[in-house]
Amino acid sequence: MAAANDASIPTPRPRRSPAWTPARLGVYGFLIVAALFFLLPLYVMLVTSVKPMEEIRLGTLFALPQHLTLEPWVQAWSSACTGLECGGIRSGFWNSVAIVVPSTILSIAIGAVNGYALSFWRPRGAGVLFAILMMGAFIPVQVMIYPLVRVLASVNLFSSLPGIIIIHTIFGMPVMTLLFRNYYAALPMELFKAARIDGGGFWRIFLQLMLPMSTPVIVVAVIMQVTGIWNDFLLGLVFAGSEHLPMTVQLNNIINTTTGERLYNVNMAATILTSIVPLALYFISGRWFVRGIASGAVKG
C-alpha cells in the first residue's frame, strides 16, 4: 500500500535556469566584442587586398570592393619586388617550407627522447641537465646570435639551409623537452615498469609504447614549432642567407621596397599569404590542440 502511495506522488522536476541571464548575456557580449576586435584587422586586410588602387585612394577603409580583383594576389605571389629581384613572395614560401619541415621534425624527435629519458629513466644528473635545458628556454635569442654566428661560420654552415635548420632545432629543444617530460611524467609508472619486466629496453619502450600514446602532445608540439618557426624573422634574416630567406623576410622586403606609389593591396595580399599556413594549421588542428592541452601536454 505504501509503495502504491509512493508511486502516485509526482516526482518534482528540476528547475531550469533561465535561458538568458545577465551573466550569460555579459559573457556572450564580451566574446562578440573580442571576436570583432581580433577579426577587424583581418577583414580590412582581406578587403583591401581585393580592391584596385583607385578605390583604396578614396579612403573607404571598411567598404566592400566595388570592382573585385585578384591581381594584387597574383602580383604578391609572383612578381612583387623584394629588393633587387621581382619574383614575388613565392620563393620565400618554399624556403620557409624547406626550413620548417626538418626543423620541426628534428626538434620534436630530440625533445621527445629527452623528455622520455628525464621522466622515466632518470639518469645520473638528470635534474641538472633538465635545469640547463630550461635555462636555455628563457635566454633571449639576441644574446646568443653573435656566438652562434661565429660557431656556424667556423664549420662553414653560416648563411646556409642546414645552418638555419640547426639553429631552429637548438632553440626548440628546451621547450619540446619540457612539453614531453610533463606529458610522460603524467602517465602511470606501472606502464613503464610492466614494459621493463617484459624485457623492453630504452628504445623499444619509447618506440612501441610511449610514442604511440603521444599523439595529443605531438600535435601540440607540431603546432607550436610550425607556428614559431614560420613566423620567425630575426633568425631567418641572420642565419638563412640570401638564397634561403624565409617568407617573413621576403614580406618585409616587399613592404619596404617602394618604387613610386605604395601598393597597399599587394602588401595586404602578401601579408595574408604569409600568415595563411599558421592560420590553416590552427583551424585544422585546433580540436587536437585543445585536447592535447587538456590531457596534460603543458601542465607541470
Side-chain angles (χ1 to χ4, degrees):
M1 188 70 181
N5 292 335
D6 292 341
S8 63
I9 298 175
T11 303
R13 295 181 179 180
R15 296 180 60 184
R16 293 184 178 180
S17 59
W20 296 101
T21 61
R24 181 172 295 183
L25 288 174
V27 170
Y28 279 106
F30 171 77
L31 292 176
I32 292 173
V33 172
L36 291 175
F37 177 79
F38 287 104
L39 291 177
L40 187 61
L42 181 60
Y43 167 78
V44 173
M45 291 168 57
L46 185 60
V47 169
T48 304
S49 67
V50 293
K51 286 181 180 179
M53 284 302 301
E54 291 77 11
E55 292 187 28
I56 296 176
R57 295 192 196 98
L58 298 177
T60 55
L61 186 64
F62 299 101
L64 293 173
Q66 298 179 0
H67 301 88
L68 190 143
T69 176
L70 295 179
E71 181 60 28
W73 289 74
V74 176
Q75 186 174 347
W77 178 255
S78 59
S79 62
C81 293
T82 58
L84 299 178
E85 299 180 358
C86 293
I89 208 168
R90 175 176 51 191
S91 61
F93 174 83
W94 295 115
N95 289 339
S96 292
V97 171
I99 295 171
V100 166
V101 173
S103 301
T104 301
I105 294 174
L106 288 175
S107 59
I108 291 177
I110 298 174
V113 174
N114 289 340
Y116 163 64
L118 293 174
S119 60
F120 284 104
W121 282 83
R122 315 253 179 198
R124 181 177 299 178
V128 177
L129 176 61
F130 185 68
I132 294 174
L133 287 172
M134 289 306 97
M135 288 176 58
F138 299 102
I139 297 177
V141 176
Q142 293 81 355
V143 175
M144 294 180 279
I145 285 181
Y146 180 70
L148 288 173
V149 168
R150 295 296 301 269
V151 170
L152 291 181
S154 64
V155 293
N156 296 322
L157 289 177
F158 181 67
S159 295
S160 66
L161 183 60
I164 185 62
I165 291 173
I166 292 174
I167 291 298
H168 281 300
T169 302
I170 292 173
F171 280 106
M173 264 199 311
V175 176
M176 293 298 102
T177 300
L178 174 65
L179 200 66
F180 281 92
R181 179 186 180 273
N182 291 340
Y183 182 80
Y184 291 141
L187 296 177
M189 193 68 178
E190 289 74 15
L191 291 174
F192 176 75
K193 292 180 179 179
R196 289 288 290 161
I197 293 173
D198 291 339
F202 181 91
W203 291 108
R204 185 178 180 185
I205 295 175
F206 175 70
L207 295 175
Q208 297 185 7
L209 179 63
M210 296 302 168
L211 205 58
M213 299 173 59
S214 305
T215 301
V217 68
I218 289 176
V219 173
V220 174
V222 168
I223 293 176
M224 292 179 61
Q225 283 299 94
V226 170
T227 304
I229 297 173
W230 189 276
N231 292 334
D232 168 70
F233 174 80
L234 182 60
L235 297 178
L237 178 64
V238 175
F239 295 99
S242 58
E243 296 181 359
H244 307 286
L245 291 177
M247 207 172 185
T248 50
V249 179
Q250 295 280 26
L251 172 64
N252 177 75
N253 293 341
I254 287 178
I255 294 175
N256 291 325
T257 300
T258 304
T259 54
E261 183 182 29
R262 185 177 292 275
L263 302 177
Y264 293 102
N265 50 3
V266 176
N267 294 345
M268 294 298 179
T271 303
I272 296 175
L273 286 171
T274 303
S275 61
I276 200 168
V277 170
L279 287 175
L281 185 64
Y282 273 114
F283 279 120
I284 295 172
S285 306
R287 177 171 60 91
W288 291 94
F289 185 75
V290 174
R291 182 180 299 178
I293 293 177
S295 64
V298 293
K299 294 179 182 178

